[in-house]
């Protein structure tokens, strides 16, 4: 029985329906529904429906924008400053802005690459609860506004973080009062814990970053290589603190307390307190909070002698978390957590019991011959024959049982990993556009290593230095071995692949197939199980390989993508061909305020998600206008993620990034076409550079390929970053304004539509007033323009 399942479904329905209901009417009807619940069972469902709708309607509106000026804010630090590379993050709970009451949080950063600035900041000794006054310019969090791209602003708003900003100097921070001693004491404990865990790995920054992420959630120390490898292998949940890590801590604690002379209730309380303490020390955020609630429901149920039905623990946790934050339904991490738990409870554990339960029974109390008669014939015969074999050769029984116990544990991990990956498929494709068929296999050694390394790393907190160093060597060896296994696994063809979004109807079929498979496992229907496996694998193959790309447009369509301070233009033709001119670049990333940039890539995180969300697998032509990183870097990811027909290049200096682009193109056998002025590749005419053009240092903008697109009725001039005057039409219908609207551009062309690709809050002053009016990507996001053709 799952008495909480109905209320949970009603709560979710209410949250989803909230935008369509009058909040006042909802709150008026809620007391009546509560009274009705005492008389009619369906009244309880109505109560939760109205409660979900009402709570969702309470989400606060974003406070008014203070304007593009420096303000004097007063607020309280929500937590101690967080160091990220060269800078530090401050999360401030706002109280006033320029003496006016304000609410919400601001996430501020200060770059302290200068030792003097760092010394001044350290002297402030900031901690949780400190009340501070800061002079800073606040902005709404920047976001890449392209369809399919992760909405960073909404992500922060769900945490009530409405503003970001950069503090120019520690002198602009003044401490008004210190926070509660208990909060500052917790800061000191955390700092001590971080130092103790990091201590055995001094000198090995790669392993130190990995262990700090795995044990304490401080993922920003992860090297890009490790982070990308674990993402590709479907193991990312292991390198940032998640529910899995907390389950290891709670499980190990339970194993220890069972061997202590403690009462049952005391043991459960110790497990719960350990889980809560661990959660308070790490930076796991919402995933750890969800895991703590689940542990709490199970423990409290046992303490009250109410049992611990897994389904009710899951439903109860979901109800509490959704009442606390109804916007969690927008969070793929929230949905993935519960999908994983449901997969384990609904499929993984029943499958293990069905296929391997007899072996588990046979291994339990192996030397107790009295149990043989109470076991199924298969298990009893297995026990008897192996005990006789041990007696025959005079061997202890563990010689037989140990290999089988290890094999059983590995098989259980593999089965559960398979079921979790089956449930994750929807989220992995739609949220991350990635498939990792090898993930269930890699999760077996990875899960074992994490189960050993997590408690071992935490144990170094209390170890003397020599013993901690030894533990660090053991952990390093295990992690290095895991990295080798992951690297080997990812070299297998098809081990990891990128996948665009698929139609909704396909996910409906997949969901029904998974549910049918789960039913067959619970009911132990072999025929239905085989059919379910075939259906699930077939649909997974369709998701991985089928082409659901959109139908060609009736007119030539240009989409100027929002890639911040960079350029990327996607063009679709009526004949079905697709072209991408430039791919933005890493330089644009720094204008996304306060995002951890360790593996952030415009090509991977902005351009590719847009194309994937359009269900696109193939780009017929890639074009690089010139070898500046804000145009080039994104193309490196596009070449890896999509089928590419051809690469167009002009004349560029052989810098490192340009060499890498050419290397990857040659490695993937992508034909390269070198363009010069006067060449015609219908419907394009090349206007620059000339055949005798020689790139010069400091003048890379003028290396830009300039292309005139002529549909027969309308034209578009695509200019890259060219600044010099070149022969060009006096009039075009669409002009991509060169160099982000820079003042130094000398190209003078009149047009009906002018588009500027530019980054919000960029420090260059782009666009210059002389290039306006124009449509701007920093204001409008992705801009789509259609050109009339001859047909």
């Amino acid at each position: 029985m799952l008495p909480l399942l109905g209320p949970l479904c009603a709560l979710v329905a209410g949250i989803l329906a909230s935008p369509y209901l009058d909040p006042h009417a909802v709150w008026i009807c809620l007391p009546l529904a509560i009274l009705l619940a005492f008389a009619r069972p369906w009244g309880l469902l109505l109560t939760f429906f109205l409660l979900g709708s009402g709570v969702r309607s309470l989400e606060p509106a974003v406070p008014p924008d203070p304007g593009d000026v420096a303000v004097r804010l007063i607020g309280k630090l929500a937590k101690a400053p967080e160091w990220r590379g060269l800078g530090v993050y401050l999360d401030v709970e706002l109280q006033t802005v320029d003496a006016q009451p304000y609410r919400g949080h601001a996430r501020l950063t200060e770059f302290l690459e200068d030792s003097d600035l760092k010394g001044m900041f350290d002297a402030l000794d900031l901690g949780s609860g400190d009340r501070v006054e800061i002079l800073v310019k606040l902005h709404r969090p920047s976001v890449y506004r392209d369809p399919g791209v992760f909405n960073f602003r909404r992500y922060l708003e769900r945490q009530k973080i409405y503003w970001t900003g950069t503090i120019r100097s520690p002198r602009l921070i003044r401490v008004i009062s210190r926070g509660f001693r208990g909060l500052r004491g917790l800061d000191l404990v955390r700092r001590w814990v971080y130092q103790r865990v990091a201590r055995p790995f001094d000198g090995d920054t790669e392993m130190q970053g990995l262990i700090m992420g795995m044990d304490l959630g401080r993922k920003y120390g992860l090297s890009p290589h490790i982070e990308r490898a674990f993402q590709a292998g479907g193991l990312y949940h292991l390198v940032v603190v998640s529910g899995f890590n907390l389950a290891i801590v709670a499980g190990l604690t339970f194993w220890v307390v069972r061997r202590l002379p403690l009462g049952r209730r005391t043991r459960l309380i110790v497990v719960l307190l350990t889980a809560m303490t661990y959660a308070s020390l790490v930076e796991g955020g919402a995933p750890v909070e969800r895991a703590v609630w689940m542990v709490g429901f199970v423990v409290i149920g046992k303490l009250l002698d109410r049992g611990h039905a897994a389904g009710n623990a899951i439903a109860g946790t979901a109800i509490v978390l959704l009442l606390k934050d109804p916007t969690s339904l927008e969070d793929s991490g929230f949905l993935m957590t519960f999908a994983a738990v449901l997969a384990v409870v609904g499929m993984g554990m029943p499958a293990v019991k069905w296929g391997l339960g007899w072996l588990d029974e046979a291994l339990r109390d192996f030397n107790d011959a009295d149990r043989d008669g109470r076991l199924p014939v298969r298990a009893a015969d297995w026990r008897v024959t192996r005990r006789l074999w041990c007696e025959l050769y005079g061997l202890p029984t563990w010689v037989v049982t140990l290999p089988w116990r290890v094999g059983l544990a590995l098989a259980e991990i593999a089965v559960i990993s398979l079921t979790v990956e089956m449930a994750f498929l929807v989220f992995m494709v739609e949220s991350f556009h990635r498939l990792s068929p090898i993930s269930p296999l890699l999760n077996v050694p990875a899960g074992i290593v994490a189960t050993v390394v997590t408690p071992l790393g935490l144990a170094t907190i209390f170890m003397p230095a020599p013993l901690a160093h030894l533990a660090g060597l053991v952990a390093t060896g295990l992690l290095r071995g895991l990295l080798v296994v992951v690297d080997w696994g990812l070299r297998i063809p098809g081990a990891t692949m990128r996948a665009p979004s698929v139609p909704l109807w396909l996910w409906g079929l997949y969901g029904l197939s998974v549910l049918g498979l789960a039913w067959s496992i619970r009911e132990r229907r072999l025929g239905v199980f085989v059919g379910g496996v075939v259906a699930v694998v077939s649909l997974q193959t369709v998701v991985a390989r089928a082409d659901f790309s959109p139908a060609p447009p009736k007119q030539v369509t240009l989409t100027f993508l929002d890639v911040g301070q960079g350029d990327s233009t996607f063009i679709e033709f009526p004949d079905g061909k697709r072209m991408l001119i430039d791919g933005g670049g890493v330089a644009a990333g720094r204008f996304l305020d306060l995002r951890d940039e360790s593996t952030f890539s415009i090509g991977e995180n902005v351009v590719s998600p847009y194309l994937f969300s359009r269900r696109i697998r193939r780009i017929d032509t890639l074009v690089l206008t010139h070898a500046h990183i804000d145009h080039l870097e994104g193309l490196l990811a596009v070449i890896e993620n999509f089928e590419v027909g051809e690469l167009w290049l002009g004349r560029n200096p052989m810098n490192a990034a340009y060499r890498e682009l050419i290397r990857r193109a040659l490695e993937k056998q992508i034909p390269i076409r070198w363009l010069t002025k006067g060449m015609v590749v219908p419907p394009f005419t090349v206007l620059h550079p000339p055949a005798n053009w020689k790139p010069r240092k400091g003048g890379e903008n003028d290396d830009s390929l300039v292309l005139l697109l002529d549909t027969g009725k309308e034209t578009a001039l695509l200019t890259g970053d060219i600044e010099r005057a070149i022969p060009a039409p006096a009039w075009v219908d669409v002009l991509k304004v060169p160099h982000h609207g820079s003042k130094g551009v000398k190209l003078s062309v009149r047009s009906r539509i002018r588009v500027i690709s530019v980054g919000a809050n960029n420090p260059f002053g782009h666009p210059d007033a002389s290039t306006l009016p124009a449509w701007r990507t920093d204001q409008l996001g992705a801009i789509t323009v259609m050109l009339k053709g001859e047909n």
Side-chain angles (χ1 to χ4, degrees), residues 273-345:
L273 290 177
T274 301
M276 294 173 65
T277 301
Y278 178 63
S280 69
L281 291 175
V282 302
E283 297 179 11
V288 173
E289 180 185 359
R290 292 191 286 266
V292 169
W293 276 103
M294 287 187 187
V295 171
F297 266 93
V298 172
V299 170
I300 292 171
K302 282 178 166 287
L303 288 174
L304 297 176
D305 295 322
R306 301 287 300 189
H308 58 285
N312 277 331
I314 298 168
T317 302
I319 288 173
V320 171
L321 293 175
L322 287 174
L323 288 175
K324 179 175 176 286
D325 179 16
T327 64
S328 295
L329 283 179
E330 304 173 24
D331 181 9
S332 60
F334 176 89
L335 299 176
M336 288 178 72
T337 295
F338 288 97
V341 176
L342 286 172
V344 172
V345 173

Side-chain angles (χ1 to χ4, degrees), residues 657-721:
Y658 187 55
R659 288 179 183 274
E660 178 64 14
L661 178 68
I662 294 175
R663 186 195 68 79
R664 294 193 188 190
L666 294 176
E667 184 180 78
K668 292 184 172 292
Q669 299 182 335
I670 299 171
I672 299 177
R673 182 179 298 203
W674 306 90
L675 301 182
T676 57
K677 179 181 178 180
M679 292 179 64
V680 177
V681 187
F684 293 95
T685 300
V686 183
L687 304 185
H688 186 79
N692 61 353
W693 181 261
K694 294 183 179 180
R696 59 186 178 83
K697 188 174 182 179
E700 291 88 350
N701 285 337
D702 288 334
D703 298 336
S704 295
L705 270 174
V706 179
L707 302 176
L708 178 65
L709 169 59
D710 189 347
T711 67
K713 284 191 175 181
E714 293 186 329
T715 56
L717 187 60
L718 306 167
T719 60
D721 276 356

Side-chain angles (χ1 to χ4, degrees), residues 11-59:
L11 182 70
V12 170
I15 292 171
L16 297 176
S18 181
Y20 310 101
L21 301 177
D22 182 357
H24 297 92
V26 167
W27 288 112
I28 290 172
C29 293
L30 181 59
L32 300 176
I34 294 174
L35 292 175
L36 186 62
F38 288 99
R40 296 286 187 270
W42 55 266
L44 181 64
L45 300 181
L46 179 60
T47 298
F48 274 89
F49 175 86
L50 295 174
L51 188 60
S53 178
V55 172
R56 179 67 176 84
S57 69
L58 295 178
E59 183 184 6

Side-chain angles (χ1 to χ4, degrees), residues 500 549-550 570 578 611-612 614-619 642:
S549 55
F570 182 60
R578 304 183 187 96
L611 297 171
F612 282 137
R614 299 278 315 277
R615 303 176 186 167
I616 290 170
R617 288 185 179 274
R618 177 179 173 84
I619 307 295
F642 298 87

Side-chain angles (χ1 to χ4, degrees), residues 238 410 413 440-451 482 485:
L238 297 179
L410 294 177
I413 295 173
L441 294 178
L442 291 179
N443 266 289
V444 175
I448 294 171
V449 170
T451 302
L482 177 60
V485 171

Side-chain angles (χ1 to χ4, degrees), residues 109 327 330 534 639 651 672 698 722:
T109 189
T327 64
E330 304 173 24
V534 171
I639 280 182
R651 298 288 187 267
I672 299 177
I722 193 152

